[in-house]
Coordinates of all heavy atoms in Angstrom, one line a residue:
M82 N -11.6 8.3 -8.3 CA -12.4 7.1 -8.7 C -11.3 6.1 -9.3 O -10.5 6.5 -10.2 CB -13.4 7.5 -9.7 CG -14.1 6.3 -10.3 SD -15.4 6.9 -11.3 CE -15.8 5.5 -12.3
M83 N -11.3 4.9 -8.9 CA -10.5 3.8 -9.4 C -11.3 3.1 -10.5 O -12.5 2.9 -10.5 CB -10.2 2.8 -8.4 CG -9.2 3.3 -7.3 SD -8.6 2.1 -6.2 CE -7.0 1.9 -6.8
R84 N -10.5 2.8 -11.6 CA -11.1 2.1 -12.8 C -10.2 0.8 -13.0 O -9.0 0.9 -13.0 CB -11.0 3.0 -13.9 CG -11.9 4.2 -13.9 CD -11.8 5.0 -15.1 NE -12.5 6.3 -14.9 CZ -12.1 7.5 -15.0 NH1 -10.8 7.7 -15.3 NH2 -12.9 8.5 -14.8
R85 N -10.9 -0.3 -13.1 CA -10.2 -1.6 -13.4 C -9.8 -1.7 -14.9 O -10.7 -1.4 -15.7 CB -11.1 -2.7 -13.0 CG -10.4 -4.1 -13.1 CD -11.3 -5.1 -12.3 NE -10.7 -6.3 -12.3 CZ -10.9 -7.3 -13.2 NH1 -11.9 -7.2 -14.1 NH2 -10.2 -8.6 -13.0
V86 N -8.6 -2.0 -15.1 CA -8.2 -2.2 -16.6 C -7.4 -3.4 -16.7 O -6.9 -3.9 -15.9 CB -7.3 -0.9 -17.0 CG1 -8.0 0.4 -16.9 CG2 -5.9 -0.9 -16.1
K87 N -7.4 -3.9 -18.0 CA -6.7 -5.1 -18.3 C -5.3 -4.7 -18.8 O -5.2 -3.8 -19.6 CB -7.3 -6.0 -19.3 CG -6.7 -7.3 -19.5 CD -7.5 -8.2 -20.3 CE -6.9 -9.6 -20.4 NZ -7.7 -10.6 -21.1
I88 N -4.2 -5.4 -18.3 CA -2.9 -5.1 -18.7 C -2.3 -6.3 -19.5 O -2.3 -7.4 -19.1 CB -2.0 -4.8 -17.6 CG1 -2.6 -3.7 -16.7 CG2 -0.5 -4.5 -17.9 CD1 -2.1 -3.5 -15.3
S96 N -2.7 -9.3 -16.8 CA -3.0 -9.0 -15.4 C -4.1 -7.9 -15.5 O -4.5 -7.4 -16.5 CB -1.8 -8.5 -14.6 OG -2.1 -8.3 -13.4
Y97 N -4.6 -7.6 -14.3 CA -5.5 -6.4 -14.2 C -4.9 -5.5 -13.2 O -4.2 -5.7 -12.3 CB -6.9 -6.9 -13.6 CG -7.7 -7.8 -14.6 CD1 -7.4 -9.1 -14.7 CD2 -8.4 -7.1 -15.5 CE1 -8.1 -9.9 -15.6 CE2 -9.1 -7.8 -16.5 CZ -9.0 -9.2 -16.5 OH -9.7 -10.0 -17.4
G98 N -5.3 -4.3 -13.4 CA -4.8 -3.1 -12.5 C -5.8 -2.2 -12.2 O -6.9 -2.2 -12.8
Q99 N -5.5 -1.3 -11.3 CA -6.5 -0.3 -11.0 C -5.9 1.1 -11.4 O -4.8 1.5 -10.9 CB -6.7 -0.2 -9.5 CG -7.3 -1.6 -8.9 CD -8.8 -1.7 -9.4 OE1 -9.5 -0.8 -9.6 NE2 -9.1 -3.0 -9.3
F100 N -6.6 1.8 -12.2 CA -6.2 3.2 -12.6 C -6.9 4.2 -11.7 O -8.1 4.1 -11.5 CB -6.5 3.4 -14.1 CG -6.4 4.9 -14.5 CD1 -5.1 5.4 -14.8 CD2 -7.4 5.7 -14.6 CE1 -5.0 6.7 -15.1 CE2 -7.3 7.0 -15.0 CZ -6.1 7.5 -15.3
E101 N -6.1 5.1 -11.2 CA -6.7 6.1 -10.4 C -6.3 7.5 -10.7 O -5.0 7.7 -11.0 CB -6.4 5.8 -8.8 CG -7.1 6.7 -7.9 CD -7.1 6.3 -6.5 OE1 -6.1 5.7 -6.1 OE2 -7.9 6.7 -5.8
M102 N -7.2 8.4 -10.7 CA -6.8 9.8 -11.1 C -7.0 10.6 -9.7 O -8.1 10.8 -9.3 CB -7.7 10.4 -12.1 CG -7.4 11.8 -12.6 SD -5.9 11.7 -13.5 CE -5.6 13.4 -13.8
K103 N -5.9 10.9 -9.1 CA -5.9 11.7 -7.8 C -5.2 13.1 -8.1 O -4.0 13.1 -8.5 CB -5.1 11.0 -6.6 CG -6.0 10.0 -6.0 CD -5.1 9.6 -4.7 CE -6.1 8.6 -3.9 NZ -5.3 8.1 -2.7
G104 N -6.0 14.1 -8.0 CA -5.4 15.4 -8.3 C -5.0 15.5 -9.7 O -5.8 15.1 -10.6
K106 N -2.2 13.9 -10.8 CA -1.1 12.8 -10.9 C -1.8 11.4 -11.0 O -2.1 10.9 -10.0 CB -0.2 12.9 -9.8 CG 1.2 12.4 -10.2 CD 1.9 13.1 -11.3 CE 3.4 12.9 -11.3 NZ 3.8 13.2 -12.5
P107 N -2.1 10.9 -12.2 CA -2.8 9.6 -12.2 C -1.8 8.5 -12.0 O -0.5 8.7 -12.1 CB -3.3 9.4 -13.7 CG -2.3 10.5 -14.4 CD -1.9 11.5 -13.5
T108 N -2.3 7.4 -11.4 CA -1.5 6.3 -11.0 C -2.2 4.9 -11.5 O -3.3 4.9 -11.8 CB -1.3 6.2 -9.5 OG1 -2.5 6.1 -8.9 CG2 -0.5 7.4 -8.9
M109 N -1.2 3.9 -11.5 CA -1.7 2.5 -11.9 C -1.2 1.7 -10.7 O -0.1 1.6 -10.3 CB -1.0 2.1 -13.1 CG -1.3 0.7 -13.6 SD -3.0 0.5 -14.2 CE -2.8 1.3 -15.7
Q110 N -2.2 0.9 -10.2 CA -1.9 0.0 -9.1 C -2.0 -1.5 -9.6 O -3.1 -1.8 -10.2 CB -2.9 0.2 -8.0 CG -2.6 -0.7 -6.8 CD -3.4 -0.4 -5.6 OE1 -3.9 0.7 -5.3 NE2 -3.8 -1.4 -4.8
I111 N -0.9 -2.2 -9.4 CA -0.9 -3.5 -9.8 C -0.4 -4.4 -8.7 O 0.6 -4.2 -8.2 CB -0.1 -3.8 -11.1 CG1 -0.3 -2.8 -12.2 CG2 0.0 -5.2 -11.5 CD1 0.8 -2.7 -13.3
L118 N 2.2 7.0 -14.1 CA 2.1 6.6 -15.5 C 3.2 6.6 -16.3 O 3.5 5.8 -17.2 CB 0.9 7.4 -16.1 CG -0.5 7.0 -15.6 CD1 -1.5 7.7 -16.5 CD2 -0.7 5.5 -15.4
F121 N 5.1 3.5 -15.4 CA 4.3 2.3 -16.0 C 4.5 2.3 -17.5 O 4.7 1.1 -18.1 CB 2.9 2.4 -15.6 CG 2.1 1.2 -16.3 CD1 2.1 0.0 -15.6 CD2 1.3 1.5 -17.4 CE1 1.4 -1.0 -16.2 CE2 0.6 0.4 -17.9 CZ 0.7 -0.8 -17.4
V128 N -2.5 -1.4 -22.3 CA -3.6 -1.4 -21.3 C -4.9 -1.2 -22.1 O -5.2 -0.5 -23.0 CB -3.6 -0.2 -20.3 CG1 -4.7 -0.2 -19.4 CG2 -2.3 -0.2 -19.6
A129 N -5.9 -2.3 -21.8 CA -7.3 -2.2 -22.4 C -8.1 -1.4 -21.5 O -8.3 -1.8 -20.4 CB -7.7 -3.6 -22.7
V130 N -8.7 -0.3 -22.0 CA -9.6 0.5 -21.1 C -11.0 0.6 -21.6 O -11.3 0.3 -22.7 CB -9.0 1.9 -21.0 CG1 -7.6 1.8 -20.4 CG2 -9.0 2.7 -22.4
N131 N -12.0 0.8 -20.7 CA -13.4 0.9 -21.0 C -14.0 2.2 -21.4 O -15.1 2.3 -21.7 CB -14.1 0.3 -19.8 CG -13.9 -1.1 -19.6 OD1 -13.5 -1.9 -20.5 ND2 -13.9 -1.6 -18.3
D132 N -13.2 3.3 -21.2 CA -13.8 4.6 -21.4 C -12.9 5.5 -22.1 O -11.8 5.4 -21.9 CB -14.4 5.1 -20.1 CG -13.4 5.4 -19.1 OD1 -13.0 4.5 -18.3 OD2 -12.9 6.7 -19.1
E133 N -13.4 6.5 -22.9 CA -12.7 7.4 -23.7 C -11.8 8.3 -22.7 O -10.7 8.6 -23.1 CB -13.7 8.2 -24.4 CG -13.0 9.0 -25.5 CD -12.3 8.2 -26.6 OE1 -12.8 7.1 -26.9 OE2 -11.4 8.8 -27.2
E134 N -12.3 8.7 -21.7 CA -11.6 9.6 -20.7 C -10.2 9.0 -20.2 O -9.1 9.5 -20.3 CB -12.4 10.0 -19.5 CG -11.6 10.9 -18.5 CD -12.5 11.2 -17.3 OE1 -13.6 10.7 -17.2 OE2 -11.9 11.9 -16.5
T135 N -10.4 7.7 -19.7 CA -9.2 6.9 -19.3 C -8.2 6.7 -20.5 O -7.0 6.9 -20.3 CB -9.6 5.6 -18.6 OG1 -10.6 5.8 -17.6 CG2 -8.5 4.9 -18.1
L136 N -8.7 6.4 -21.6 CA -7.9 6.2 -22.8 C -7.1 7.4 -23.1 O -5.9 7.4 -23.3 CB -8.8 5.8 -24.0 CG -8.1 5.5 -25.3 CD1 -7.2 4.3 -25.2 CD2 -9.1 5.4 -26.4
K137 N -7.7 8.5 -23.1 CA -7.1 9.8 -23.4 C -5.9 10.2 -22.4 O -4.9 10.6 -22.7 CB -8.0 10.9 -23.6 CG -8.8 10.8 -24.8 CD -9.8 12.1 -24.9 CE -10.8 11.9 -26.1 NZ -11.7 13.0 -26.1
I138 N -6.2 10.0 -21.1 CA -5.3 10.3 -20.1 C -4.1 9.3 -20.1 O -2.9 9.8 -20.1 CB -5.9 10.1 -18.6 CG1 -7.0 11.2 -18.4 CG2 -4.9 10.2 -17.5 CD1 -7.9 10.9 -17.2
M139 N -4.3 8.1 -20.3 CA -3.2 7.0 -20.5 C -2.2 7.5 -21.6 O -1.1 7.6 -21.5 CB -3.8 5.7 -20.6 CG -4.5 5.2 -19.4 SD -3.7 3.7 -19.0 CE -4.6 3.4 -17.5
Q140 N -2.9 7.7 -22.8 CA -2.1 8.0 -24.0 C -1.4 9.3 -23.8 O -0.2 9.5 -24.2 CB -3.0 8.2 -25.2 CG -3.5 6.7 -25.5 CD -4.6 6.8 -26.7 OE1 -5.2 7.8 -26.9 NE2 -4.7 5.6 -27.3
R141 N -2.0 10.3 -23.1 CA -1.3 11.6 -22.7 C 0.0 11.4 -22.0 O 1.1 12.1 -22.2 CB -2.2 12.5 -22.0 CG -1.6 13.9 -21.8 CD -2.7 14.8 -21.0 NE -4.0 14.6 -21.3 CZ -4.9 14.5 -20.4 NH1 -4.7 14.7 -19.1 NH2 -6.2 14.3 -20.7
Y142 N 0.0 10.3 -21.1 CA 1.3 10.0 -20.3 C 2.1 9.0 -20.9 O 3.1 8.5 -20.3 CB 0.8 9.5 -19.0 CG 0.4 10.7 -18.1 CD1 -0.9 11.2 -18.1 CD2 1.3 11.3 -17.3 CE1 -1.3 12.2 -17.3 CE2 1.0 12.4 -16.5 CZ -0.4 12.8 -16.5 OH -0.7 13.9 -15.7
T149 N -11.6 -1.2 -25.1 CA -12.1 -2.5 -25.1 C -13.5 -2.6 -24.6 O -14.0 -1.5 -24.3 CB -11.2 -3.4 -24.1 OG1 -11.7 -4.8 -24.1 CG2 -11.5 -2.9 -22.7
R151 N -16.9 -3.1 -22.5 CA -17.1 -2.7 -21.0 C -17.1 -3.9 -20.2 O -17.5 -4.9 -20.5 CB -18.5 -1.9 -20.9 CG -18.5 -0.7 -21.7 CD -19.3 0.4 -21.2 NE -19.2 0.7 -19.8 CZ -18.4 1.7 -19.3 NH1 -17.7 2.3 -20.1 NH2 -18.4 1.9 -18.0
Q152 N -16.5 -3.6 -19.0 CA -16.5 -4.7 -17.9 C -17.8 -4.3 -17.1 O -18.3 -3.3 -17.0 CB -15.2 -4.5 -17.1 CG -14.0 -4.8 -17.8 CD -12.7 -4.5 -17.0 OE1 -12.8 -4.0 -16.0 NE2 -11.6 -5.0 -17.5
T153 N -18.1 -5.4 -16.3 CA -19.3 -5.3 -15.5 C -18.9 -5.6 -14.0 O -18.1 -6.5 -13.8 CB -20.3 -6.4 -15.9 OG1 -20.6 -6.2 -17.3 CG2 -21.6 -6.3 -15.1
T154 N -19.5 -4.9 -13.1 CA -19.3 -5.0 -11.7 C -20.4 -6.0 -11.2 O -21.5 -5.8 -11.6 CB -19.3 -3.6 -11.0 OG1 -18.3 -2.8 -11.5 CG2 -19.2 -3.9 -9.5
S177 N -5.3 -7.8 -6.0 CA -6.5 -7.4 -5.4 C -7.5 -8.6 -5.3 O -7.2 -9.6 -5.8 CB -7.2 -6.3 -6.3 OG -7.6 -6.9 -7.5
T179 N -10.4 -8.6 -6.4 CA -11.0 -8.8 -7.7 C -10.1 -9.6 -8.6 O -10.7 -10.6 -9.3 CB -11.2 -7.4 -8.3 OG1 -12.2 -6.7 -7.6 CG2 -11.7 -7.5 -9.7
E180 N -8.8 -9.5 -8.6 CA -7.9 -10.2 -9.4 C -7.9 -11.7 -9.0 O -7.9 -12.6 -9.8 CB -6.5 -9.7 -9.2 CG -6.2 -8.4 -9.9 CD -4.9 -7.8 -9.6 OE1 -4.4 -7.7 -8.4 OE2 -4.3 -7.3 -10.5

Side-chain angles (χ1 to χ4, degrees):
M82 177 175 160
M83 291 186 104
R84 297 178 181 123
R85 186 169 185 259
V86 297
K87 186 168 187 175
I88 304 167
S96 185
Y97 289 91
Q99 300 288 335
F100 170 76
E101 184 170 28
M102 188 70 186
K103 276 190 174 176
K106 208 61 167 160
T108 59
M109 178 71 73
Q110 181 177 331
I111 307 165
L118 289 189
F121 179 77
V128 179
V130 301
N131 292 330
D132 65 275
E133 190 69 26
E134 178 187 0
T135 302
L136 180 68
K137 287 178 182 178
I138 293 168
M139 294 234 179
Q140 290 174 338
R141 186 177 328 132
Y142 283 87
T149 189
R151 298 212 47 93
Q152 295 174 346
T153 301
T154 300
S177 69
T179 297
E180 289 170 316

